[in-house]
Amino acid sequence: MSASFTFLTPLAASVAVAIVLPLAALALGAARVRRVRAALSLRSPQSASNRLGLLACGWLVAALAVAAAQPAVLRESRARTRSDVEVLFVIDVSRSMAASRGRLGPTRLERAVVAAKRLRASVGDVPSGIATLTDRVLPNLFPVPDVPTFDTTLERAVALEAPPPRQVAVRATTLAALAAVPNSGYFAPSARTRVIVLLTDGETRPIDASAIGGALAGTGFLAVRFWRDGESVFNGAGRAEPSYRPDASGLPELRSLASAAGGRAFDESDLRGAFAALREAVGEGPTVVAPGRRPGRTALGPYIALSALAPLAFLVARRGNGFGERPRRPSMIGAG
């Protein structure tokens, strides 16, 4: 692992000039006054408290200037990754995945994306990819070892009906499209163990589970169903779409498919079981150094800004105690 030090926004420190210049002028003026007093053999009224006050001001300004420049320690490390296994997360993005309980509630797709992140994190050193499903399976990200890249792709590239199905139908989703995945180049040839994780509401056109299961032979298969009673698809005006009819038979359908493929199916309420099944499916195996470097960064600005609280507290206390106040001139009333 290598590390280096840098300022992320060095120009931001220039804002301190507006404060430093007046303080410098004040310091020069004070030095000139001291020289004049010394030449005239006059006693200097400056106290230790005043000198500490100037030091506190300097510390405060310097700390805020450095913090504004955002100092940081940059690190680069090489991650290790499994070389024998890959996982492909296939996410249903058909229209029914927009269903939710109430127009402001989390949709099935939003819940599936959160679950995909958690499932992927549970097998951190396993290269993982993303594909979307409607009436076809299309890749968004081929399996990579980098978790941040996976999460960013989920957040930015996975969206409802993106892309839309080729056919316009009340129910466009078909799980039959999964049959083409094993031989379509989604997995690297070196991956001896290959696992498909399907995240869907199970509302699909009729399928031949045996035929799909046969096509998935040799590929691990897990399915997680996202479906709740009382969900509806809401339009832009916030009204439930009358054309949508929820289908409660999705979970038995997924379990039938999983059984034919030698895998397992879970409801979203049993994500813990899905985590355990995924870890069991990928098992354990050799790791290699992943290509490229994994960047890391530790920001120092917040800690430096926090150090400015000490001089600030001193200045506030000094002002509250009346330190450094200019002596009042003696009153001339009654002077003879």
Side-chain angles (χ1 to χ4, degrees):
M1 181 176 69
S2 60
S4 61
F5 179 82
T6 188
F7 290 99
L8 302 179
T9 55
L11 293 180
S14 62
V15 298
V17 174
I19 305 174
V20 172
L21 290 180
L23 287 177
L26 180 62
L28 290 175
R32 187 177 296 110
V33 170
R34 286 196 299 271
R35 287 196 298 270
V36 171
R37 287 183 177 277
L40 298 177
S41 300
L42 297 177
R43 179 182 174 185
S44 175
Q46 180 142 350
S47 64
S49 177
N50 286 340
R51 288 192 293 272
L52 286 175
L54 288 175
L55 289 174
C57 287
W59 181 1
L60 179 63
V61 172
L64 294 179
V66 174
Q70 296 191 71
V73 175
L74 304 181
R75 302 181 307 279
E76 287 189 342
S77 60
R78 291 188 177 274
R80 299 194 68 85
T81 182
R82 290 279 297 278
S83 59
D84 61 328
V85 59
E86 290 183 350
V87 176
L88 180 69
F89 289 82
V90 179
I91 303 175
D92 185 352
V93 294
S94 57
R95 181 65 180 166
S96 63
M97 290 292 286
S100 63
R101 287 179 177 173
R103 61 187 182 87
L104 298 181
T107 66
R108 295 170 182 171
L109 181 58
E110 289 170 343
R111 303 194 310 264
V113 166
V114 172
K117 284 185 180 181
R118 294 176 59 192
L119 285 163
R120 197 270 173 264
S122 70
V123 289
D125 60 351
V126 175
S128 301
I130 301 169
T132 56
L133 167 74
T134 52
D135 57 358
R136 51 185 168 163
V137 176
L138 295 175
N140 294 91
L141 177 71
F142 290 102
V144 295
D146 188 52
V147 175
T149 299
F150 181 93
D151 290 348
T152 300
T153 304
L154 269 180
E155 295 166 0
R156 298 183 180 180
V158 176
L160 196 68
E161 294 191 310
R166 289 174 294 188
Q167 298 180 4
V168 178
V170 174
R171 180 168 296 179
T173 308
T174 174
L175 300 182
L178 294 170
V181 171
N183 298 315
S184 297
Y186 286 91
F187 299 99
S190 59
R192 297 191 302 274
T193 300
R194 305 174 180 189
V195 181
I196 295 173
V197 178
L198 173 66
L199 300 99
T200 178
D201 57 13
E203 296 186 352
T204 175
R205 282 185 274 171
I207 60 171
D208 184 344
S210 298
I212 301 173
L216 296 178
T219 302
F221 180 77
L222 297 175
V224 183
R225 181 211 188 200
F226 296 85
W227 194 95
R228 294 172 180 169
D229 287 328
E231 290 185 318
S232 298
V233 174
F234 296 88
N235 58 26
R239 297 187 179 89
E241 296 183 357
S243 60
Y244 171 71
R245 294 288 186 272
D247 184 358
S249 65
L251 187 57
E253 193 82 42
L254 288 175
R255 285 175 174 164
S256 175
L257 173 59
S259 177
R264 299 179 66 184
F266 300 87
D267 185 76
E268 62 178 304
S269 60
D270 187 21
L271 283 181
R272 183 174 298 180
F275 293 151
L278 178 57
R279 288 191 291 267
E280 180 182 351
V282 300
E284 296 182 359
T287 61
V288 297
V289 176
R293 292 181 177 271
R294 177 180 296 176
R297 184 175 72 189
T298 301
L300 303 178
Y303 304 102
I304 296 175
L306 189 63
S307 73
L309 292 178
L312 181 61
F314 172 78
L315 292 172
V316 171
R318 178 176 177 269
R319 182 177 179 84
N321 292 331
F323 292 156
E325 293 183 353
R326 295 180 62 182
R328 297 180 180 177
R329 292 185 179 183
S331 175
M332 301 301 293
I333 299 178

